[in-house]
Amino acid sequence: MHTRPTTDPDAGAGAGRGTPLAARVTAWLNDPEDPYWSRPAPTAAQRRNDVLATLGFLLVALLASVLVHSYAGLAEGDEPWRLYLSTVLIVVPLALRRRYPLLVVVASSALFLGLTYASPTAAMTLPFQGAYFAALYAAVAWSRDRQALWVAMSVVVGTMGLWLLGAFTVTNAYADFLTGLGEVDGPLPQLPSYAVFTLLVNAVYFGGAVLAGRASWRAALQQHRLAAQAQRIREQSAEIARRAVVDERMRIARELHDVVAHHVSVIGIQAGAARKVLDRDPAAATTALRTIEASSRTAVGEMRQLLGVLRAEGEEGAPGSGGGTSAAARRPDPGLADIAALARRHADNGLAVDVRTVEAVPGDLDSIPPALGLSAFRCAQESLSNVIRHSTATAASVTLRTGCGPDGPWFELEVLDDGSPRRGTAGTGFGLQGLRERVRLHGGEAEIGPRSGRPGWRVRTRCPLPPGGSGGDAPDAAVGATSGTTSGTTSGTTDRILRGSEA
């Protein structure tokens, strides 16, 4: 878990509870990248294991005390019960070393000093020294308040240092010990050599416990970071999946809107025309009804195609299709080549549509990616449907352009009309919003609004093309305008667009 300070962490580290030295030591005991991380408390299983491990270690320590008593005897003034009681007292606190690390290290330090005088024999045994080392290690490894740890360790180390200094100077305990050993003929004086040796042993003892504890604490921190990183990855994966679903739903919504809005608007207009001429011109009414029939069939086919794709993505082998997909589902998505047919359908419904192509290099339109071609077709479809629904215009133009600018090659679609807004036909705006979203998906931009200086409405979309595409080999070449009406013919996609729009 994390705890955050209520004040500036840089100011709080060196003020109030500690000096700059204390702040540096606390930062070293912690981690500079995450100084406020707190190691989680031990689990119930860990606490249970601590008790069991302490009981096992206590049995080993008592056995060692019995063996020492048997082969080395007791120190002068020591007694057997003191030896065994001291061993028990120094080991028992280890059962709580991870639950209350600071209390255990303080209590173990006090016991270490007191029991050294109570039973010198116990103080010289390895289990006695090992128990105190374990208390020091657990304090550094498991303490959750690192500043309190710094204070406790300072007190412990300082007390031990003063105790050693007093043993060498005030009480002359070590001097008496060396006197009992007798004179030694060595290269250095006996007492200073023993003092340096004792200092080095204690430095390794306490330093080793601190370093081992810090390594354990940092290992737990690293494990916490890895777990947090794994959790973030899981959350990001879930978010990516959710966004993919949302994007797919938006795409489906745009497709359905384009299909339904276009064909329903045509059906509505033709139905109104048929109603008006039904009595006086049955032939015209019949033509309008045929157009309604064709538009409805086309709308149903396109929706079936779209829903068939969704069904194929959701389950393998849709029922009733023999394990495969229907003919509508196998039909390719519309593209640039289908704009001519779109223009022809609008012409049959009373809106003359002039399709033009302007290519920087002949054949540029053949290299338009299919996804961009689909978006261009849907943009043209939405724009022409809006002309029928919201404008008095009887003619419109669709221009497909390619070129190359400072940012690389581009493809542009422009739809123009010269009509006035039809009263009482305001839409929801979802169609234009979907059009802009389609263009943004390809990294392009859309300009939608009234034409400047003349009546009518203008929709212009421009999307970048991959490098080396349209116009990429001849950025300074003159734009070759292959301009024509729906009766012209060229090569490639241009030829299909113009040939398909012949009346």
Side-chain angles (χ1 to χ4, degrees):
M1 59 183 175
H2 286 72
T3 56
R4 296 294 178 185
T6 56
T7 58
D8 182 14
D10 294 332
R17 291 200 287 175
T19 63
L21 175 61
R24 289 194 296 270
V25 173
T26 303
W28 181 81
L29 289 172
N30 293 338
D31 186 273
E33 298 179 1
D34 198 353
Y36 305 111
W37 180 76
S38 179
R39 185 169 186 173
T43 62
Q46 289 174 325
R47 295 195 296 268
R48 183 172 59 254
N49 292 336
D50 287 345
V51 174
L52 296 177
T54 300
L55 291 176
F57 183 70
L58 179 59
L59 294 177
V60 174
L62 289 174
L63 176 60
S65 300
V66 171
L67 295 176
V68 169
H69 185 196
S70 300
Y71 77 80
L74 299 176
E76 184 179 355
D78 200 355
E79 296 181 9
W81 68 270
R82 291 183 182 179
L83 170 63
Y84 301 129
L85 180 59
S86 298
T87 301
V88 172
L89 292 178
I90 198 65
V91 172
V92 167
L94 296 181
L96 303 175
R97 66 186 183 278
R98 288 196 284 191
R99 191 171 184 179
Y100 304 106
L102 293 183
L103 291 178
V104 169
V105 74
V106 172
S108 297
S109 299
L111 289 171
F112 185 88
L113 293 178
L115 297 176
T116 299
Y117 292 102
S119 177
T121 306
M124 298 302 297
T125 60
L126 185 60
F128 190 94
Q129 300 289 333
Y132 186 50
F133 183 92
L136 294 171
Y137 161 81
V140 179
W142 285 89
S143 176
R144 286 166 288 282
D145 188 341
R146 308 306 279 184
Q147 285 192 337
L149 170 65
W150 151 243
V151 173
M153 293 302 293
S154 299
V155 171
V156 169
V157 174
T159 302
M160 292 297 176
L162 292 176
W163 177 63
L164 291 175
L165 181 62
F168 276 105
T169 59
V170 178
T171 64
N172 292 324
Y174 287 108
D176 296 339
F177 171 74
L178 294 177
T179 301
L181 294 177
E183 294 291 337
V184 178
D185 185 15
L188 297 175
Q190 188 178 26
L191 183 59
S193 298
Y194 189 68
V196 173
F197 175 78
T198 304
L199 177 63
L200 292 177
V201 169
N202 281 274
V204 172
Y205 183 86
F206 285 94
V210 171
L211 292 177
R214 184 174 183 269
S216 174
W217 187 89
R218 288 182 62 85
L221 173 59
Q222 183 64 21
Q223 184 178 4
H224 163 77
R225 288 175 175 171
L226 292 176
Q229 183 179 11
Q231 179 63 26
R232 286 195 299 270
I233 291 175
R234 287 192 294 269
E235 292 174 354
Q236 291 172 358
S237 299
E239 178 64 17
I240 291 173
R242 187 191 67 81
R243 289 183 179 179
V245 172
V246 171
D247 292 342
E248 183 65 12
R249 288 177 178 175
M250 291 296 296
R251 184 186 71 82
I252 295 169
R254 287 193 297 265
E255 295 288 341
L256 288 175
H257 173 274
D258 293 341
V259 169
V260 174
H262 167 69
H263 292 290
V264 170
S265 62
V266 172
I267 291 172
I269 292 174
Q270 292 299 320
R275 179 179 56 81
K276 291 181 179 180
V277 301
L278 182 61
D279 296 333
R280 52 188 173 85
D281 193 348
T286 300
T287 301
L289 292 175
R290 288 175 179 171
T291 302
I292 292 174
E293 180 184 5
S295 296
S296 63
R297 291 181 182 275
T298 303
V300 171
E302 292 186 12
M303 286 190 292
R304 184 176 297 168
Q305 174 189 1
L306 178 60
L307 297 177
V309 171
L310 294 178
R311 194 176 187 183
E313 291 176 355
E315 53 181 295
E316 297 181 3
S321 61
T325 56
S326 64
R330 292 194 298 268
R331 189 166 55 188
D333 291 330
L336 295 181
D338 298 287
I339 292 180
L342 177 68
R344 186 171 61 252
R345 289 197 298 270
H346 280 286
D348 295 340
N349 297 328
L351 178 65
V353 181
D354 181 22
V355 180
R356 299 185 177 94
T357 60
V358 181
E359 296 177 298
V361 176
D364 272 353
L365 292 177
D366 293 326
S367 63
I368 300 299
L372 181 56
L374 171 61
S375 294
F377 176 85
R378 293 305 186 194
C379 290
Q381 186 182 54
E382 174 66 23
S383 301
L384 294 177
S385 298
N386 287 338
V387 173
I388 293 177
R389 290 195 300 265
H390 308 304
S391 175
T392 61
T394 58
S397 66
V398 178
T399 304
L400 307 177
R401 299 188 184 93
T402 62
C404 187
D407 298 329
W410 48 263
F411 166 73
E412 184 176 275
L413 168 72
E414 185 179 52
V415 180
L416 301 174
D417 70 81
D418 56 0
S420 301
R422 193 188 302 271
R423 294 183 178 180
T425 60
T428 62
F430 291 150
L432 296 181
Q433 180 181 355
L435 190 152
R436 291 189 176 94
E437 290 178 355
R438 286 184 180 276
V439 175
R440 281 198 295 266
L441 286 176
H442 298 280
E445 57 183 11
E447 296 180 8
I448 304 173
R451 300 175 64 177
S452 177
R454 60 182 302 176
W457 194 263
R458 176 173 181 257
V459 176
R460 185 186 72 86
T461 66
R462 175 175 290 190
C463 299
L465 294 175
S470 302
D473 298 331
D476 298 328
V479 175
T482 308
S483 177
T485 63
T486 57
S487 61
T489 58
T490 61
S491 62
T493 303
T494 305
D495 179 62
R496 293 194 300 274
I497 293 174
L498 298 181
R499 185 171 64 249
S501 63
E502 294 177 351

